[in-house]
Amino acid sequence: MIVYLDTSSLVKLYVEEDESSKVDGLVRSSEVTATSLVAYAETRAAFARRFREKAYTQDEHKRIKEFFEKDWSSYLILSVTGDMIKLAGDLAEKHALRGFDSIHLASALTLREELSSPIVFSCFDDNLQKASEREDLDQG
C-alpha cells in the first residue's frame, strides 16, 4: 500500500493529537509513505506554532524536530513541478481548495498516475478530504 500524507496527517506522527494512532497505523502498514516537498515547511511551521502556544517545552520541541528530520529522508518526497502547480490551480478552482491543499491533492494524483497504483490519501481537513474523494482517491 502507498499512503500519501498531507501536512495535517504528517504532524500527527510527531505530536500527539486526535487520530495520531490512526496515522501511525497507516504508515506502519504502508510499503511507501509519500508527501509533497511543501509539507516540510508546513510541518515545521506547525511545530513552531504549537511551541509558541506552549503545547510543549523547548526540549520537547527540539526532540520533535530531531525525529522529523531523521524521518524526512525515509518518505517519498514529491517535488513540485510546473505541471503539478497548474494541476493544483485547476483543483483549487474546481474544489475551492487553499493553495497548499491543492498542491497536496495534485501531488497525490500525480503519484497515482505515475505509478498506476492506488494511493491512500490521509488528511484531516474536511474540504480537502471531500475533494480527494471526488478525485477517487482511497481514504486513510
PDB file of all heavy atoms in Angstrom, residues 4-34:
ATOM      1  N   TYR A   4      -0.309   8.544   1.070  1.00  0.00           N
ATOM      2  CA  TYR A   4       0.109   9.930   0.906  1.00  0.00           C
ATOM      3  C   TYR A   4      -0.381  10.699   2.122  1.00  0.00           C
ATOM      4  O   TYR A   4      -1.569  10.669   2.443  1.00  0.00           O
ATOM      5  CB  TYR A   4      -0.478  10.553  -0.375  1.00  0.00           C
ATOM      6  CG  TYR A   4       0.000  11.976  -0.564  1.00  0.00           C
ATOM      7  CD1 TYR A   4       1.102  12.249  -1.351  1.00  0.00           C
ATOM      8  CD2 TYR A   4      -0.619  13.029   0.105  1.00  0.00           C
ATOM      9  CE1 TYR A   4       1.573  13.537  -1.479  1.00  0.00           C
ATOM     10  CE2 TYR A   4      -0.149  14.317  -0.010  1.00  0.00           C
ATOM     11  CZ  TYR A   4       0.942  14.569  -0.803  1.00  0.00           C
ATOM     12  OH  TYR A   4       1.428  15.849  -0.917  1.00  0.00           O
ATOM     13  N   LEU A   5       0.534  11.403   2.785  1.00  0.00           N
ATOM     14  CA  LEU A   5       0.181  12.210   3.955  1.00  0.00           C
ATOM     15  C   LEU A   5       0.225  13.689   3.607  1.00  0.00           C
ATOM     16  O   LEU A   5       1.246  14.178   3.127  1.00  0.00           O
ATOM     17  CB  LEU A   5       1.174  11.964   5.103  1.00  0.00           C
ATOM     18  CG  LEU A   5       1.352  10.541   5.602  1.00  0.00           C
ATOM     19  CD1 LEU A   5       2.399  10.507   6.719  1.00  0.00           C
ATOM     20  CD2 LEU A   5       0.046   9.942   6.071  1.00  0.00           C
ATOM     21  N   ASP A   6      -0.872  14.388   3.851  1.00  0.00           N
ATOM     22  CA  ASP A   6      -0.793  15.839   3.778  1.00  0.00           C
ATOM     23  C   ASP A   6      -0.204  16.304   5.110  1.00  0.00           C
ATOM     24  O   ASP A   6       0.084  15.496   5.997  1.00  0.00           O
ATOM     25  CB  ASP A   6      -2.165  16.461   3.472  1.00  0.00           C
ATOM     26  CG  ASP A   6      -2.975  16.776   4.716  1.00  0.00           C
ATOM     27  OD1 ASP A   6      -2.929  15.995   5.692  1.00  0.00           O
ATOM     28  OD2 ASP A   6      -3.670  17.793   4.712  1.00  0.00           O
ATOM     29  N   THR A   7      -0.015  17.581   5.276  1.00  0.00           N
ATOM     30  CA  THR A   7       0.654  18.089   6.475  1.00  0.00           C
ATOM     31  C   THR A   7      -0.120  17.784   7.747  1.00  0.00           C
ATOM     32  O   THR A   7       0.475  17.433   8.765  1.00  0.00           O
ATOM     33  CB  THR A   7       0.898  19.599   6.338  1.00  0.00           C
ATOM     34  OG1 THR A   7       1.666  19.821   5.150  1.00  0.00           O
ATOM     35  CG2 THR A   7       1.658  20.152   7.533  1.00  0.00           C
ATOM     36  N   SER A   8      -1.440  17.861   7.699  1.00  0.00           N
ATOM     37  CA  SER A   8      -2.224  17.595   8.909  1.00  0.00           C
ATOM     38  C   SER A   8      -2.013  16.169   9.409  1.00  0.00           C
ATOM     39  O   SER A   8      -2.016  15.925  10.616  1.00  0.00           O
ATOM     40  CB  SER A   8      -3.711  17.868   8.669  1.00  0.00           C
ATOM     41  OG  SER A   8      -4.270  16.974   7.721  1.00  0.00           O
ATOM     42  N   SER A   9      -1.807  15.242   8.500  1.00  0.00           N
ATOM     43  CA  SER A   9      -1.523  13.852   8.883  1.00  0.00           C
ATOM     44  C   SER A   9      -0.071  13.683   9.316  1.00  0.00           C
ATOM     45  O   SER A   9       0.212  12.984  10.289  1.00  0.00           O
ATOM     46  CB  SER A   9      -1.825  12.909   7.723  1.00  0.00           C
ATOM     47  OG  SER A   9      -3.205  12.820   7.508  1.00  0.00           O
ATOM     48  N   LEU A  10       0.825  14.315   8.608  1.00  0.00           N
ATOM     49  CA  LEU A  10       2.250  14.203   8.931  1.00  0.00           C
ATOM     50  C   LEU A  10       2.536  14.701  10.342  1.00  0.00           C
ATOM     51  O   LEU A  10       3.262  14.056  11.106  1.00  0.00           O
ATOM     52  CB  LEU A  10       3.062  14.989   7.891  1.00  0.00           C
ATOM     53  CG  LEU A  10       4.564  14.819   7.884  1.00  0.00           C
ATOM     54  CD1 LEU A  10       4.961  13.362   7.658  1.00  0.00           C
ATOM     55  CD2 LEU A  10       5.180  15.685   6.790  1.00  0.00           C
ATOM     56  N   VAL A  11       1.940  15.808  10.722  1.00  0.00           N
ATOM     57  CA  VAL A  11       2.148  16.368  12.060  1.00  0.00           C
ATOM     58  C   VAL A  11       1.726  15.374  13.132  1.00  0.00           C
ATOM     59  O   VAL A  11       2.378  15.246  14.175  1.00  0.00           O
ATOM     60  CB  VAL A  11       1.402  17.713  12.211  1.00  0.00           C
ATOM     61  CG1 VAL A  11       1.332  18.154  13.670  1.00  0.00           C
ATOM     62  CG2 VAL A  11       2.067  18.785  11.360  1.00  0.00           C
ATOM     63  N   LYS A  12       0.664  14.625  12.885  1.00  0.00           N
ATOM     64  CA  LYS A  12       0.149  13.676  13.875  1.00  0.00           C
ATOM     65  C   LYS A  12       1.140  12.550  14.186  1.00  0.00           C
ATOM     66  O   LYS A  12       1.012  11.883  15.206  1.00  0.00           O
ATOM     67  CB  LYS A  12      -1.182  13.091  13.408  1.00  0.00           C
ATOM     68  CG  LYS A  12      -2.306  14.112  13.436  1.00  0.00           C
ATOM     69  CD  LYS A  12      -3.618  13.514  12.987  1.00  0.00           C
ATOM     70  CE  LYS A  12      -4.717  14.522  12.884  1.00  0.00           C
ATOM     71  NZ  LYS A  12      -4.884  15.439  13.984  1.00  0.00           N
ATOM     72  N   LEU A  13       2.129  12.345  13.339  1.00  0.00           N
ATOM     73  CA  LEU A  13       3.156  11.347  13.625  1.00  0.00           C
ATOM     74  C   LEU A  13       4.133  11.817  14.698  1.00  0.00           C
ATOM     75  O   LEU A  13       4.820  11.001  15.313  1.00  0.00           O
ATOM     76  CB  LEU A  13       3.937  11.007  12.356  1.00  0.00           C
ATOM     77  CG  LEU A  13       3.183  10.269  11.267  1.00  0.00           C
ATOM     78  CD1 LEU A  13       4.050  10.139  10.026  1.00  0.00           C
ATOM     79  CD2 LEU A  13       2.723   8.898  11.760  1.00  0.00           C
ATOM     80  N   TYR A  14       4.201  13.116  14.930  1.00  0.00           N
ATOM     81  CA  TYR A  14       5.209  13.687  15.825  1.00  0.00           C
ATOM     82  C   TYR A  14       4.618  14.387  17.034  1.00  0.00           C
ATOM     83  O   TYR A  14       5.309  14.561  18.037  1.00  0.00           O
ATOM     84  CB  TYR A  14       6.103  14.658  15.040  1.00  0.00           C
ATOM     85  CG  TYR A  14       6.763  13.948  13.889  1.00  0.00           C
ATOM     86  CD1 TYR A  14       6.201  13.960  12.618  1.00  0.00           C
ATOM     87  CD2 TYR A  14       7.903  13.179  14.090  1.00  0.00           C
ATOM     88  CE1 TYR A  14       6.774  13.259  11.578  1.00  0.00           C
ATOM     89  CE2 TYR A  14       8.482  12.477  13.052  1.00  0.00           C
ATOM     90  CZ  TYR A  14       7.910  12.516  11.802  1.00  0.00           C
ATOM     91  OH  TYR A  14       8.466  11.797  10.776  1.00  0.00           O
ATOM     92  N   VAL A  15       3.370  14.804  16.924  1.00  0.00           N
ATOM     93  CA  VAL A  15       2.689  15.500  18.006  1.00  0.00           C
ATOM     94  C   VAL A  15       1.410  14.726  18.292  1.00  0.00           C
ATOM     95  O   VAL A  15       0.620  14.474  17.389  1.00  0.00           O
ATOM     96  CB  VAL A  15       2.353  16.953  17.604  1.00  0.00           C
ATOM     97  CG1 VAL A  15       1.593  17.650  18.715  1.00  0.00           C
ATOM     98  CG2 VAL A  15       3.617  17.726  17.249  1.00  0.00           C
ATOM     99  N   GLU A  16       1.232  14.330  19.539  1.00  0.00           N
ATOM    100  CA  GLU A  16       0.055  13.551  19.906  1.00  0.00           C
ATOM    101  C   GLU A  16      -1.208  14.408  19.767  1.00  0.00           C
ATOM    102  O   GLU A  16      -1.345  15.439  20.417  1.00  0.00           O
ATOM    103  CB  GLU A  16       0.187  13.041  21.346  1.00  0.00           C
ATOM    104  CG  GLU A  16      -0.901  12.070  21.743  1.00  0.00           C
ATOM    105  CD  GLU A  16      -0.931  10.796  20.918  1.00  0.00           C
ATOM    106  OE1 GLU A  16       0.135  10.290  20.530  1.00  0.00           O
ATOM    107  OE2 GLU A  16      -2.057  10.310  20.651  1.00  0.00           O
ATOM    108  N   GLU A  17      -2.070  13.958  18.869  1.00  0.00           N
ATOM    109  CA  GLU A  17      -3.338  14.630  18.598  1.00  0.00           C
ATOM    110  C   GLU A  17      -4.391  13.550  18.401  1.00  0.00           C
ATOM    111  O   GLU A  17      -4.069  12.365  18.291  1.00  0.00           O
ATOM    112  CB  GLU A  17      -3.253  15.477  17.319  1.00  0.00           C
ATOM    113  CG  GLU A  17      -2.270  16.618  17.359  1.00  0.00           C
ATOM    114  CD  GLU A  17      -2.225  17.405  16.049  1.00  0.00           C
ATOM    115  OE1 GLU A  17      -2.692  16.922  14.999  1.00  0.00           O
ATOM    116  OE2 GLU A  17      -1.709  18.519  16.094  1.00  0.00           O
ATOM    117  N   ASP A  18      -5.658  13.974  18.321  1.00  0.00           N
ATOM    118  CA  ASP A  18      -6.698  13.024  17.952  1.00  0.00           C
ATOM    119  C   ASP A  18      -6.302  12.388  16.624  1.00  0.00           C
ATOM    120  O   ASP A  18      -5.821  13.079  15.725  1.00  0.00           O
ATOM    121  CB  ASP A  18      -8.046  13.732  17.781  1.00  0.00           C
ATOM    122  CG  ASP A  18      -8.640  14.195  19.098  1.00  0.00           C
ATOM    123  OD1 ASP A  18      -8.177  13.735  20.158  1.00  0.00           O
ATOM    124  OD2 ASP A  18      -9.554  15.043  19.065  1.00  0.00           O
ATOM    125  N   GLU A  19      -6.498  11.114  16.506  1.00  0.00           N
ATOM    126  CA  GLU A  19      -6.231  10.347  15.282  1.00  0.00           C
ATOM    127  C   GLU A  19      -4.750  10.089  15.014  1.00  0.00           C
ATOM    128  O   GLU A  19      -4.397   9.552  13.963  1.00  0.00           O
ATOM    129  CB  GLU A  19      -6.877  10.999  14.054  1.00  0.00           C
ATOM    130  CG  GLU A  19      -8.358  11.274  14.190  1.00  0.00           C
ATOM    131  CD  GLU A  19      -9.231  10.026  14.176  1.00  0.00           C
ATOM    132  OE1 GLU A  19      -8.780   8.957  13.730  1.00  0.00           O
ATOM    133  OE2 GLU A  19     -10.381  10.136  14.607  1.00  0.00           O
ATOM    134  N   SER A  20      -3.850  10.449  15.944  1.00  0.00           N
ATOM    135  CA  SER A  20      -2.425  10.167  15.744  1.00  0.00           C
ATOM    136  C   SER A  20      -2.181   8.675  15.562  1.00  0.00           C
ATOM    137  O   SER A  20      -1.399   8.268  14.704  1.00  0.00           O
ATOM    138  CB  SER A  20      -1.591  10.682  16.921  1.00  0.00           C
ATOM    139  OG  SER A  20      -1.441  12.077  16.864  1.00  0.00           O
ATOM    140  N   SER A  21      -2.859   7.849  16.343  1.00  0.00           N
ATOM    141  CA  SER A  21      -2.649   6.402  16.240  1.00  0.00           C
ATOM    142  C   SER A  21      -3.136   5.874  14.895  1.00  0.00           C
ATOM    143  O   SER A  21      -2.559   4.931  14.342  1.00  0.00           O
ATOM    144  CB  SER A  21      -3.324   5.665  17.392  1.00  0.00           C
ATOM    145  OG  SER A  21      -4.711   5.912  17.388  1.00  0.00           O
ATOM    146  N   LYS A  22      -4.174   6.473  14.341  1.00  0.00           N
ATOM    147  CA  LYS A  22      -4.678   6.073  13.026  1.00  0.00           C
ATOM    148  C   LYS A  22      -3.614   6.322  11.954  1.00  0.00           C
ATOM    149  O   LYS A  22      -3.360   5.456  11.106  1.00  0.00           O
ATOM    150  CB  LYS A  22      -5.951   6.841  12.698  1.00  0.00           C
ATOM    151  CG  LYS A  22      -6.533   6.536  11.338  1.00  0.00           C
ATOM    152  CD  LYS A  22      -7.776   7.352  11.068  1.00  0.00           C
ATOM    153  CE  LYS A  22      -8.315   7.089   9.681  1.00  0.00           C
ATOM    154  NZ  LYS A  22      -9.487   7.900   9.382  1.00  0.00           N
ATOM    155  N   VAL A  23      -3.002   7.497  11.988  1.00  0.00           N
ATOM    156  CA  VAL A  23      -1.971   7.830  11.003  1.00  0.00           C
ATOM    157  C   VAL A  23      -0.760   6.921  11.190  1.00  0.00           C
ATOM    158  O   VAL A  23      -0.197   6.413  10.218  1.00  0.00           O
ATOM    159  CB  VAL A  23      -1.563   9.314  11.087  1.00  0.00           C
ATOM    160  CG1 VAL A  23      -0.436   9.629  10.109  1.00  0.00           C
ATOM    161  CG2 VAL A  23      -2.766  10.214  10.828  1.00  0.00           C
ATOM    162  N   ASP A  24      -0.378   6.693  12.434  1.00  0.00           N
ATOM    163  CA  ASP A  24       0.752   5.801  12.720  1.00  0.00           C
ATOM    164  C   ASP A  24       0.484   4.405  12.151  1.00  0.00           C
ATOM    165  O   ASP A  24       1.366   3.799  11.540  1.00  0.00           O
ATOM    166  CB  ASP A  24       0.997   5.734  14.229  1.00  0.00           C
ATOM    167  CG  ASP A  24       2.247   4.961  14.570  1.00  0.00           C
ATOM    168  OD1 ASP A  24       3.342   5.348  14.094  1.00  0.00           O
ATOM    169  OD2 ASP A  24       2.132   3.954  15.302  1.00  0.00           O
ATOM    170  N   GLY A  25      -0.723   3.901  12.312  1.00  0.00           N
ATOM    171  CA  GLY A  25      -1.078   2.591  11.771  1.00  0.00           C
ATOM    172  C   GLY A  25      -1.018   2.562  10.256  1.00  0.00           C
ATOM    173  O   GLY A  25      -0.546   1.582   9.663  1.00  0.00           O
ATOM    174  N   LEU A  26      -1.475   3.620   9.618  1.00  0.00           N
ATOM    175  CA  LEU A  26      -1.398   3.708   8.157  1.00  0.00           C
ATOM    176  C   LEU A  26       0.043   3.641   7.683  1.00  0.00           C
ATOM    177  O   LEU A  26       0.377   2.907   6.750  1.00  0.00           O
ATOM    178  CB  LEU A  26      -1.997   5.035   7.672  1.00  0.00           C
ATOM    179  CG  LEU A  26      -3.449   5.101   7.322  1.00  0.00           C
ATOM    180  CD1 LEU A  26      -3.827   6.537   6.952  1.00  0.00           C
ATOM    181  CD2 LEU A  26      -3.791   4.169   6.182  1.00  0.00           C
ATOM    182  N   VAL A  27       0.900   4.422   8.325  1.00  0.00           N
ATOM    183  CA  VAL A  27       2.306   4.464   7.927  1.00  0.00           C
ATOM    184  C   VAL A  27       2.972   3.111   8.164  1.00  0.00           C
ATOM    185  O   VAL A  27       3.724   2.616   7.312  1.00  0.00           O
ATOM    186  CB  VAL A  27       3.042   5.605   8.665  1.00  0.00           C
ATOM    187  CG1 VAL A  27       4.552   5.518   8.468  1.00  0.00           C
ATOM    188  CG2 VAL A  27       2.514   6.949   8.195  1.00  0.00           C
ATOM    189  N   ARG A  28       2.685   2.495   9.293  1.00  0.00           N
ATOM    190  CA  ARG A  28       3.286   1.192   9.601  1.00  0.00           C
ATOM    191  C   ARG A  28       2.854   0.107   8.608  1.00  0.00           C
ATOM    192  O   ARG A  28       3.624  -0.802   8.307  1.00  0.00           O
ATOM    193  CB  ARG A  28       2.936   0.759  11.026  1.00  0.00           C
ATOM    194  CG  ARG A  28       3.658   1.549  12.074  1.00  0.00           C
ATOM    195  CD  ARG A  28       3.276   1.065  13.477  1.00  0.00           C
ATOM    196  NE  ARG A  28       3.794   1.924  14.502  1.00  0.00           N
ATOM    197  CZ  ARG A  28       5.005   1.821  15.022  1.00  0.00           C
ATOM    198  NH1 ARG A  28       5.819   0.887  14.601  1.00  0.00           N
ATOM    199  NH2 ARG A  28       5.387   2.657  15.966  1.00  0.00           N
ATOM    200  N   SER A  29       1.644   0.201   8.103  1.00  0.00           N
ATOM    201  CA  SER A  29       1.148  -0.822   7.185  1.00  0.00           C
ATOM    202  C   SER A  29       1.463  -0.505   5.726  1.00  0.00           C
ATOM    203  O   SER A  29       1.217  -1.330   4.846  1.00  0.00           O
ATOM    204  CB  SER A  29      -0.355  -1.009   7.365  1.00  0.00           C
ATOM    205  OG  SER A  29      -1.052   0.161   7.003  1.00  0.00           O
ATOM    206  N   SER A  30       2.017   0.657   5.456  1.00  0.00           N
ATOM    207  CA  SER A  30       2.290   1.035   4.071  1.00  0.00           C
ATOM    208  C   SER A  30       3.657   0.548   3.621  1.00  0.00           C
ATOM    209  O   SER A  30       4.571   0.385   4.429  1.00  0.00           O
ATOM    210  CB  SER A  30       2.205   2.553   3.899  1.00  0.00           C
ATOM    211  OG  SER A  30       3.306   3.187   4.499  1.00  0.00           O
ATOM    212  N   GLU A  31       3.762   0.301   2.323  1.00  0.00           N
ATOM    213  CA  GLU A  31       5.061  -0.017   1.733  1.00  0.00           C
ATOM    214  C   GLU A  31       5.843   1.267   1.509  1.00  0.00           C
ATOM    215  O   GLU A  31       7.065   1.290   1.642  1.00  0.00           O
ATOM    216  CB  GLU A  31       4.865  -0.727   0.396  1.00  0.00           C
ATOM    217  CG  GLU A  31       4.149  -2.057   0.494  1.00  0.00           C
ATOM    218  CD  GLU A  31       3.718  -2.551  -0.870  1.00  0.00           C
ATOM    219  OE1 GLU A  31       4.556  -2.541  -1.805  1.00  0.00           O
ATOM    220  OE2 GLU A  31       2.545  -2.934  -1.000  1.00  0.00           O
ATOM    221  N   VAL A  32       5.124   2.313   1.137  1.00  0.00           N
ATOM    222  CA  VAL A  32       5.727   3.614   0.843  1.00  0.00           C
ATOM    223  C   VAL A  32       4.848   4.686   1.467  1.00  0.00           C
ATOM    224  O   VAL A  32       3.620   4.630   1.360  1.00  0.00           O
ATOM    225  CB  VAL A  32       5.822   3.851  -0.687  1.00  0.00           C
ATOM    226  CG1 VAL A  32       6.335   5.250  -0.989  1.00  0.00           C
ATOM    227  CG2 VAL A  32       6.687   2.797  -1.349  1.00  0.00           C
ATOM    228  N   THR A  33       5.495   5.670   2.107  1.00  0.00           N
ATOM    229  CA  THR A  33       4.797   6.831   2.625  1.00  0.00           C
ATOM    230  C   THR A  33       5.302   8.042   1.856  1.00  0.00           C
ATOM    231  O   THR A  33       6.502   8.316   1.842  1.00  0.00           O
ATOM    232  CB  THR A  33       5.050   7.018   4.134  1.00  0.00           C
ATOM    233  OG1 THR A  33       4.607   5.842   4.818  1.00  0.00           O
ATOM    234  CG2 THR A  33       4.314   8.230   4.672  1.00  0.00           C
ATOM    235  N   ALA A  34       4.374   8.739   1.212  1.00  0.00           N
ATOM    236  CA  ALA A  34       4.738   9.865   0.360  1.00  0.00           C
ATOM    237  C   ALA A  34       4.142  11.158   0.895  1.00  0.00           C
ATOM    238  O   ALA A  34       3.130  11.146   1.600  1.00  0.00           O
ATOM    239  CB  ALA A  34       4.237   9.617  -1.066  1.00  0.00           C
TER     240      ALA A  34
END
